Amino acid sequence: MKNHYYLLALSCLLLTNCAVTKTLKFSQKDDDIIRTESLKHFLNENKNPKVVLRVNESSMNVTEEDNNDYLFNAIENQLLSSGFIVRDRQLFNQIIENDENNIDYKQLKEKSDTDLIIELTKLNPQVMYETNKYYDQKNRERIELSHSYQKYGASVEFKVVVINSNEFAGVYKFNYTPCTNGCVISKSMSELRREREKKANDDKKGYEGVERNELEIFIKNATKQLVTEMRN
């Protein structure tokens, strides 16, 4: 009878719905930063620079129906809270697009009363992270032989130009890596099978990427880090 219970428990673990606790962990992807000493010097001399955010819409890896104004507003609000004077980006674009103002950067500075252009050159909320490793309840690394786990991360890239000197002053790429502190999942074998079946169907459909609230937090933190890196 005792052996019967042991076999029953083993069968439960291998074949049925007994849950297994697993934690996913991804290593933080390094940021990529190229900066100039002249930008640091400029910001040391100008504690409250006048900046404008420009957006390269063609480099936004998002669906057409998405409204990204909340992200742009988050960037501008963070710049404001960091002591920058933020110019209206639509008004600045009108100055740029006006044929009569197809002028050099020095004149552009005078007409727009702006010191720096911070261009959002790339935004990708659909950076895929995948692993077949997980950690059990005792924090031991395990390998999944027949299944892998996927999580969306994100990346954003800024370019900075000093208007007065028309100087390309830096490129700053920041990465959001999911589950750096661990994402706990607890799924049975049957649930994993259903997930794989669902994924096979979902692969034929569009996908969203990082959730809106996560993306907004990432953008705010990336902008805060951008300011820090520009001034250091």
Side-chain angles (χ1 to χ4, degrees):
M1 182 64 70
K2 189 174 182 180
N3 290 336
H4 174 74
Y5 283 121
Y6 282 140
L7 290 174
L8 182 62
L10 182 60
S11 298
C12 177
L13 287 171
L14 296 177
L15 301 174
T16 64
N17 292 330
C18 295
V20 178
T21 300
K22 300 177 181 179
T23 300
L24 303 182
K25 294 181 183 179
F26 292 100
S27 298
Q28 175 64 46
K29 189 174 182 179
D30 291 338
D31 298 324
D32 189 8
I33 296 171
I34 302 173
R35 56 183 169 229
T36 63
E37 284 298 317
S38 58
L39 178 60
K40 177 182 176 181
H41 176 74
F42 175 84
L43 291 174
N44 284 336
E45 297 293 324
N46 300 271
K47 300 300 183 183
N48 304 106
K50 300 167 186 176
V51 303
V52 65
L53 174 68
R54 296 201 71 200
V55 179
N56 185 350
E57 293 281 2
S58 64
S59 296
M60 303 297 105
N61 189 13
V62 291
T63 55
E64 291 183 0
E65 63 269 19
D66 284 343
N67 185 338
N68 296 306
D69 284 344
Y70 77 101
L71 294 176
F72 308 149
N73 291 336
I75 294 171
E76 290 177 330
N77 289 340
Q78 187 59 56
L79 291 172
L80 279 170
S81 66
S82 299
F84 288 18
I85 300 170
V86 179
R87 295 307 191 202
D88 185 285
R89 62 179 182 272
Q90 293 181 346
L91 186 59
F92 186 87
N93 287 337
Q94 289 177 6
I95 295 174
I96 291 287
E97 292 167 3
N98 191 329
D99 289 339
E100 295 179 0
N101 291 316
N102 187 17
I103 50 182
D104 61 35
Y105 274 78
K106 184 176 181 180
Q107 290 177 312
L108 177 60
K109 173 179 169 57
E110 294 174 355
K111 285 182 174 289
S112 64
D113 192 22
T114 304
D115 299 313
L116 301 174
I117 297 174
I118 298 178
E119 184 175 354
L120 176 59
T121 54
K122 291 182 182 178
L123 173 61
N124 186 359
Q126 300 166 342
V127 179
M128 181 65 72
Y129 287 77
E130 183 172 7
T131 183
N132 65 344
K133 298 190 297 183
Y134 68 92
Y135 294 83
D136 63 17
Q137 60 270 29
K138 295 184 179 180
N139 202 34
R140 295 174 298 192
E141 184 179 292
R142 301 295 189 185
I143 303 295
E144 190 75 68
L145 298 178
S146 59
H147 182 69
S148 64
Y149 300 95
Q150 296 177 332
K151 291 285 186 180
Y152 283 116
S155 65
V156 64
E157 185 173 310
F158 298 96
K159 180 175 74 173
V160 180
V161 174
V162 181
I163 294 180
N164 190 44
S165 60
N166 187 18
E167 181 181 358
F168 175 65
V171 176
Y172 304 79
K173 181 178 179 180
F174 303 106
N175 297 295
Y176 165 61
T177 303
C179 303
T180 54
N181 295 321
C183 295
V184 177
I185 57 173
S186 184
K187 300 178 181 178
S188 67
M189 295 298 290
S190 62
E191 287 174 323
L192 288 173
R193 285 196 297 272
R194 286 196 296 270
E195 185 181 81
R196 286 195 290 270
E197 291 170 0
K198 182 177 183 300
K199 181 180 181 301
N201 293 327
D202 288 347
D203 283 345
K204 303 172 185 177
K205 305 175 185 177
Y207 56 88
E208 295 296 329
V210 173
E211 294 293 333
R212 174 172 172 149
N213 61 332
E214 289 182 280
L215 188 58
E216 185 173 5
I217 292 171
F218 164 60
I219 288 296
K220 288 179 180 178
N221 290 336
T223 306
K224 186 184 298 184
Q225 190 175 352
L226 169 67
V227 173
T228 300
E229 294 292 344
M230 287 169 61
R231 285 176 167 161
N232 285 344

